[in-house]
Amino acid sequence: MPRSFLRAALVVTTVTTLVANLSACQAPHHGPAAVPASRPATASPDATGAVYVTGAKSGDDPCARVVSAVGYLGLSLLPPGQEEAQHWDGDVRGRFGYLRGTLAMYGPRLPAPAAPAVRAADRLARTLSLARTEDSRRPRLLREYRTASAAVLAACGRP
């Protein structure tokens, strides 16, 4: 066989294998918190009691989405009272960014009493998501975020 044919066959095989593996990596997660696309999104607790929802759509229940985003962020936060020891890696900052996106999409449709707390939570999430925010400010901002997010959850009828 000609050498160029073997080389082409090797390239095609390699590319096919890479595409198949990358496609598998992007398959949706079907764990206990995932919501199949055929069902409406709902909040459901996982084994730890944390609440997640997936498959966001613009018509979803805004409270369910915001409560989910607050819960998702909360998984990366140390318990209240330990704000000084909180580690501010990209995961934590990214989850604050995710919350901002959720608030932008669903916040305007939350119950009216939530509006001031949504604005406060968004402002705090914006600052806490930035790598340049000084570490000395973060504990106070995190305590303020906890107060604002608790008010949002209360407006949605969540404890």
Side-chain angles (χ1 to χ4, degrees):
M1 283 191 178
R3 189 172 210 156
S4 61
F5 176 78
L6 291 175
R7 193 171 295 154
L10 178 62
V11 168
V12 168
T13 303
T14 303
V15 169
T16 302
T17 302
L18 284 171
V19 168
N21 286 335
L22 289 173
S23 296
C25 289
Q26 295 178 3
H29 172 68
H30 293 293
V35 177
S38 61
R39 286 192 357 220
T42 58
S44 60
D46 71 1
T48 66
V51 177
Y52 301 95
V53 289
T54 59
K57 296 178 184 71
S58 61
D60 289 345
D61 178 313
C63 277
R65 287 298 175 187
V66 171
V67 167
S68 173
V70 169
Y72 178 66
L73 169 58
L75 294 174
S76 292
L77 299 177
L78 293 174
Q82 296 183 25
E83 290 83 3
E84 301 291 333
Q86 179 67 50
H87 183 67
W88 293 96
D89 61 9
D91 177 60
V92 174
R93 293 190 320 270
R95 289 182 188 215
F96 273 107
Y98 173 77
L99 175 63
R100 289 202 67 216
T102 303
L103 290 174
M105 186 169 184
Y106 297 104
R109 296 189 353 241
L110 290 176
V118 167
R119 285 191 298 274
D122 182 58
R123 176 183 51 80
L124 292 159
R126 179 181 59 240
T127 304
L128 288 166
S129 70
L130 299 172
R132 69 176 183 248
T133 299
E134 302 84 19
D135 287 341
S136 61
R137 294 181 56 207
R138 290 185 184 277
R140 178 185 53 80
L141 294 170
L142 180 54
R143 285 189 286 275
E144 290 178 25
Y145 160 76
R146 289 184 196 274
T147 301
S149 65
V152 172
L153 297 180
C156 284
R158 306 304 199 291

